[in-house]
Amino acid sequence: MEILSLLGSGMLVALQPLNLLLILIGVTVGLFIGAMPGLGSVNGVAILLPITFLVPPSGAIIFLAAIYYGAMYGGAISSITLGIPGASTAVATTFDGRPLARQGRASLALVTAALASFVGGTVANVIFTAFAPVLASVALSFGPPEIFALMLLAFATFVGLGGDDIPKTILSICLGLVLGAVGFDQISGAPRLVLFDITGFLQGIGFLVLAIGVYGIGEMLWTIEQSRDEAESTPPKMTARGMVADAAEATRRGWRGTAIGSCIGFFVGILPAAGATPASLMSYGVAKMMSRNPQDYGRGTPDGVAAPEAANNSASTGSMLPMLTLGIPGSPTTAILLGGMVIWGLTPGPRLFIEESEFVWGLIGSFYISNIAALIINLAFIPVFIWMLRMPFTILAPMIFVLSVAGGYAATRDMFDIWLILIFGIAAFVLRRLDYPLAPAVLAIVLGPIAEPTLRQSLLLSQGDPSIFFTRPVAGPITVIALILIFLPLVKLLQRGRKADKTT
């Protein structure tokens, strides 16, 4: 009852006129920041941080958290309508969101994303409110072996993302791991895989650069190729009745992915150095593995949109937990929020809940208000996003190209990345023509830089003994499950080969 009383007082703080106005402005601004390729919540919060010094600290953190929430919602918009991930957290949304849009069902994809985001955020808020101190200690107990085991479990889901052609899937994963290893070694500091001694490779290959190239330029080229002999289908006009029907279908066909994403997203989000991107990718893979119709994934299923969208919103709230309770940021965006809190004279940590109770519970109360505001604003703008799709592709294609190039440049301000975007776009188009799955490569470049240093740190701790991944109480079960999932498709492939031999 004490928690409910504190939460009620916190929501009253969030509903104060100034704070409520900041929430509405922050969510709306965040929605469009998230939808713009190359910006995302990190850049949005960093750019708008100086503005917050005009308001009290409680209003400032509420405003920045609202931008964070809005950006998590907004990332799905360009992923669905244009096939360009608004942010790295929305890459998995393109896997099924873009196919639904090409089928003339963009409204279903957008409504599914909005509802799943709302449920994911709500579930995370409830867990956050009830179990913050306990979960913070759990997150702190995750060392390098546990994080590597978790990454291995994520890799295990990749095999299912490439269909039945396991060799092509493994090759795609290896390609992503190689691209993720370009640049300076995180432990020794030595440069590696620097092609032709080009200095641009020393900074590594950014995930957003790869994602925009593959799902922006590559998707544009693929659509041009596919539409040469096909009539372009015009999306239907959005009506209130149609939105209600889409909401009902999204609930019926996307509840499983929403549930999986909400749970996985929060618990991955609370882990330091993980964040919303691995959470959304893992949720998509697990949702596909647990689906009764996994063959529908990648072709346009609401479940494939719901899982990553619920996960990235759930993870965004989860990443706030270690920041507030331990002073450890759970994502790049919360690292900026942490810096802002220090500037405002607040010290994150266990005593923050005691010494600054009004501030903390006002922030937690704003999570609930921001979540509701983001859902309403997102649904209200869906007709505008549908209108974008009614434009002929002869207009959309140049827009996609300009947004891809501008988004890639805005993220790093480096022309070398623009050339990489174009190269990755062409390469993605060629690989797609050859029927190679692109999703595993994109996912591998995200988790590779997390998995590699934790693997090496774990082996340093155990003096080279790999049994550390099996003997630790948390890492052991996760590693065993991951290995089972990795070898299960191979067993099925061998069984299928035996059956084929018997029939011949």
Side-chain angles (χ1 to χ4, degrees):
M1 292 300 293
E2 182 184 358
I3 290 179
L4 293 177
S5 175
L6 291 170
L7 178 61
S9 62
M11 293 185 76
L12 289 176
V13 171
L15 288 172
Q16 291 175 0
L18 176 60
N19 291 338
L20 183 59
L21 178 64
L22 290 172
I23 287 174
L24 295 175
I25 295 173
V27 166
T28 305
V29 171
L31 187 69
F32 287 96
I33 286 176
M36 288 296 295
L39 284 181
S41 60
V42 180
N43 292 330
V45 170
I47 292 169
L48 296 173
L49 180 63
I51 298 176
T52 61
F53 297 113
L54 302 174
V55 296
S58 58
I61 190 71
I62 285 173
F63 175 66
L64 294 178
I67 293 174
Y68 193 12
Y69 254 101
M72 288 297 106
Y73 274 74
I77 295 168
S78 56
S79 295
I80 292 169
T81 56
L82 302 176
I84 313 172
S88 60
T89 56
V91 168
T93 309
T94 61
F95 299 163
D96 284 277
R98 183 56 181 164
L100 277 171
R102 294 186 64 189
Q103 296 164 19
R105 307 219 63 192
S107 59
L108 173 61
L110 290 167
V111 170
T112 302
L115 294 178
S117 297
F118 174 74
V119 174
T122 302
V123 170
N125 288 335
V126 172
I127 299 174
F128 186 107
T129 305
F131 305 107
V134 176
L135 291 173
S137 63
V138 171
L140 198 60
S141 69
F142 266 64
E146 286 75 21
I147 294 178
F148 174 76
L150 197 64
M151 295 302 105
L152 186 65
L153 181 62
F155 278 109
T157 66
F158 292 4
V159 178
L161 296 180
D164 293 330
D165 199 335
I166 294 177
K168 286 185 177 180
T169 301
I170 294 175
L171 183 62
S172 183
I173 292 173
C174 293
L175 180 61
L177 291 174
V178 169
L179 293 175
V182 172
F184 286 106
D185 187 335
Q186 294 186 34
I187 294 181
S188 69
R192 58 185 185 183
L193 299 180
V194 179
L195 186 65
F196 301 123
D197 292 329
I198 299 174
T199 55
F201 285 112
L202 291 173
Q203 63 188 7
I205 296 175
F207 171 63
L208 199 60
V209 170
L210 178 74
I212 291 176
V214 170
Y215 292 104
I217 304 298
E219 176 69 21
M220 180 192 70
L221 295 175
W222 178 257
T223 304
I224 293 173
E225 169 75 12
Q226 295 299 305
S227 61
R228 285 191 304 179
D229 302 320
E230 299 176 5
E232 186 75 17
S233 60
T234 303
K237 293 182 179 180
M238 194 69 195
T239 62
R241 181 178 296 179
M243 189 175 291
V244 172
D246 286 334
E249 185 176 354
T251 304
R252 178 173 55 85
R253 299 180 60 192
W255 68 268
R256 189 189 302 271
T258 301
I260 292 171
S262 299
C263 297
I264 291 179
F266 182 82
F267 289 102
V268 174
I270 66 176
L271 299 178
T277 302
S280 63
L281 300 172
M282 288 178 64
S283 298
Y284 182 88
V286 172
K288 180 175 180 179
M289 286 172 49
M290 297 182 66
S291 174
R292 296 176 181 176
N293 302 298
Q295 69 278 1
D296 293 340
Y297 280 69
R299 299 177 183 176
T301 175
D303 229 21
V305 176
E309 283 304 301
N312 60 39
N313 279 265
S314 184
S316 65
T317 300
S319 63
M320 293 279 193
L321 191 146
M323 180 196 75
L324 291 174
T325 58
L326 302 172
I328 301 172
S331 68
T333 307
T334 53
I336 298 173
L337 293 177
L338 179 66
M341 290 177 63
V342 173
I343 293 172
W344 299 321
L346 299 167
T347 304
R351 297 197 60 80
L352 186 68
F353 282 75
I354 300 172
E355 297 172 354
E356 300 289 346
S357 176
E358 182 179 349
F359 169 83
V360 171
W361 287 101
L363 174 61
I364 294 173
S366 76
F367 292 165
Y368 291 85
I369 308 299
S370 297
N371 202 26
I372 296 171
L375 175 66
I376 295 171
I377 293 172
N378 201 358
L379 291 175
F381 276 103
I382 282 180
V384 178
F385 307 141
I386 296 298
W387 172 82
M388 291 171 52
L389 285 177
R390 296 183 63 83
M391 290 187 289
F393 194 73
T394 51
I395 298 176
L396 272 179
M399 284 181 56
I400 292 172
F401 181 80
V402 171
L403 283 173
S404 298
V405 173
Y409 184 76
T412 61
R413 298 182 180 274
D414 190 344
M415 277 301 299
F416 179 75
D417 286 339
I418 304 303
W419 291 111
L420 286 181
I421 286 174
L422 298 176
I423 292 170
F424 286 140
I426 296 171
F429 171 72
V430 173
L431 289 173
R432 198 164 178 182
R433 286 289 305 270
L434 297 174
D435 200 27
Y436 276 84
L438 298 176
V442 175
L443 306 185
I445 201 175
V446 178
L447 301 186
I450 301 175
E452 182 198 358
T454 54
L455 170 64
R456 294 168 67 181
Q457 289 164 4
S458 301
L459 293 176
L460 286 173
L461 287 173
S462 66
Q463 299 181 340
D465 185 3
S467 65
I468 189 173
F469 300 111
F470 298 93
T471 55
R472 290 170 71 109
V474 177
I478 297 176
T479 304
V480 171
I481 294 172
L483 291 176
I484 291 172
L485 293 177
I486 288 172
F487 290 108
L488 190 61
L490 297 175
V491 173
K492 291 181 178 179
L493 189 64
L494 292 174
Q495 289 177 345
R496 196 177 305 164
R498 291 175 180 175
K499 290 181 181 179
D501 291 339
K502 290 179 181 179
T503 55
T504 54

